[in-house]
Amino acid sequence: MMTTPVYVTAGLKAFKKRRYLFILIFLYLIILVFVANDAWLYQTPIAKITQVRTKENGKKKSTNGKDELYYKQEIDARLLNGENKGKTVSLSNEYSYSGVLKQKYHKGDKILLEMSGGGTSGNIKGLKRDVQLTALIGALFLLLIAVTEKKGFLTICTIVVNIGIFGVGFSQFLKGKNILEVCNLMSLLFAVGTLIFLNGVHRKTWAAVISTLCVLAVIMGIFDVVMMHSEELDYSEMEYLGSLDNPADIFRAEVMLAGLGAIMDVAVTISAALGEIVQKKPEVTFLELFRSGREIGYDIMGTMMNVLLFVFGCGLIPAFLIRMNNEVGFMTIVRLHIPYEICRFLVESIGIVLAIPISILIASVCMKIRFKGGRKGC
């Protein structure tokens, strides 16, 4: 019997991979073309700018007392949908040099309108950005599949499922369900669903799931103990939250969900690494496995804490700049305007630190447990 050479088999696999990738790229381009011409799906009037005339419109005082240059645009745009499709409308737009309140528009931009004057004029509501959004999402999905193949596809599925869990969970909260009960269930679904979906059902996965839930329980226990022995927080300092009926529960839910991804990442990294060690060297002792996990944890701890810092920090940049531009001192902002963000960062950083020994202990125990008959498994 003749056997197919290894290099031939590898070549066929590479050809199939390229073919699937070309098909995905082709579908991606088709979707982009469709979204670029989907104005007929909108009930909101959409127009494409055909001509723009821009001129200076003087200087005005900004909120910090400085003079800021303003510009006025006279815009002609062609309607792309509705009863007046194809007609040209006249629009005006005034924007400042900083562009804080309104932005500058260019020829070729597609804009959302609020019509007036019998369909011959109107106000600009904003840009139509679905093409850019679709392009970014599609590029992300293509890269995931091209680089990681099956894992990339599973990652896309978990993202979609998690977005669905978020939507269903918060819709239940809006219907009157207790926010803590909803978030407890969401956290469980996020951890179990994401890890099993991505890594399959085996020891490494269950070690990561148990580690994640244990760490989450520990940090929330620490949070509750600190809150019980501290003065009651003034949630009016937290934007938007002080106007709700249950700000304490909502803040607790924020803390619970904020660092779940980072904790899962630590747990999965350690569990996968220790599982690989056991698979390659089954005779490794529990102590050696624990020490290996500790070294891995030391390497990832700093980077994961910095990831959290960057995530929280980038969301605070606009608030910092706006307040400092209005002569609010840096320490005043830290003391009065972002104490809750600092609290979340510290709690989740503690979670990352605790995730290392807890994940090492649980993963080491799981990897070294013997099945009946003396077999070790991963």
Side-chain angles (χ1 to χ4, degrees), residues 96-363:
S96 63
Y97 175 79
S98 62
V100 172
L101 299 178
K102 289 188 177 181
Q103 67 181 85
K104 180 180 180 180
Y105 294 102
H106 305 84
K107 182 179 179 180
D109 287 345
K110 292 182 180 179
I111 51 179
L112 304 173
L113 301 178
E114 184 177 358
M115 301 302 298
S116 61
T120 58
S121 61
N123 298 319
I124 301 175
K125 298 171 66 176
L127 281 173
K128 178 177 178 287
R129 294 186 172 91
D130 54 354
V131 176
Q132 294 87 339
L133 185 61
T134 302
L136 288 175
I137 294 174
L140 172 63
F141 287 177
L142 276 176
L143 286 172
L144 280 172
I145 294 174
V147 174
T148 60
E149 300 179 7
K150 182 181 177 181
K151 282 287 186 180
F153 177 75
L154 293 176
T155 301
I156 294 169
C157 292
T158 56
I159 292 173
V160 173
V161 171
N162 286 340
I163 291 173
I165 293 173
F166 261 116
V168 173
F170 288 116
S171 67
Q172 292 300 309
F173 167 63
L174 295 175
K175 292 178 181 178
K177 298 288 186 180
N178 183 279
I179 185 66
L180 292 180
E181 294 178 359
V182 171
C183 285
N184 285 336
L185 180 59
M186 287 171 61
S187 300
L188 180 64
L189 292 175
F190 286 147
V192 177
T194 300
L195 295 176
I196 291 179
F197 210 99
L198 287 176
N199 302 307
V201 180
H202 46 66
R203 290 191 173 197
K204 290 181 287 188
T205 302
W206 288 118
V209 169
I210 296 170
S211 301
T212 300
L213 297 179
C214 287
V215 174
L216 195 60
V218 170
I219 63 171
M220 294 315 299
I222 295 173
F223 175 80
D224 290 337
V225 170
V226 172
M227 294 294 289
M228 284 190 296
H229 293 83
S230 303
E231 294 182 6
E232 186 175 355
L233 297 178
D234 181 10
Y235 291 102
S236 62
E237 296 177 359
M238 193 172 185
E239 289 183 307
Y240 310 115
L241 197 54
S243 61
L244 298 173
D245 295 331
N246 54 345
D249 291 346
I250 295 178
F251 181 57
R252 189 182 189 278
E254 286 185 6
V255 173
M256 185 188 307
L257 294 176
L260 185 60
I263 294 171
M264 281 197 296
D265 194 9
V266 173
V268 168
T269 301
I270 292 176
S271 299
L274 297 188
E276 190 69 16
I277 291 173
V278 172
Q279 190 174 13
K280 298 296 184 183
K281 188 180 179 182
E283 68 276 8
V284 64
T285 65
F286 179 88
L287 186 58
E288 290 174 336
L289 198 61
F290 191 91
R291 288 174 177 170
S292 298
R294 186 177 61 187
E295 293 301 319
I296 295 167
Y298 290 164
D299 290 337
I300 65 176
M301 179 178 63
T303 54
M304 290 307 303
M305 290 181 68
N306 277 286
V307 166
L308 271 184
L309 177 63
F310 296 148
V311 169
F312 284 120
C314 69
L316 296 174
I317 289 175
F320 260 94
L321 293 179
I322 290 173
R323 290 186 172 103
M324 293 181 72
N325 194 45
N326 285 277
E327 300 181 355
V328 179
F330 179 82
M331 292 309 300
T332 302
I333 297 173
V334 173
R335 182 169 55 88
L336 296 179
H337 298 288
I338 63 167
Y340 300 96
E341 284 76 9
I342 296 173
C343 178
R344 283 199 296 269
F345 168 71
L346 293 175
V347 171
E348 303 311 332
S349 296
I350 292 172
I352 289 175
V353 176
L354 291 177
I356 293 171
I358 291 175
S359 298
I360 293 171
L361 180 61
I362 293 175

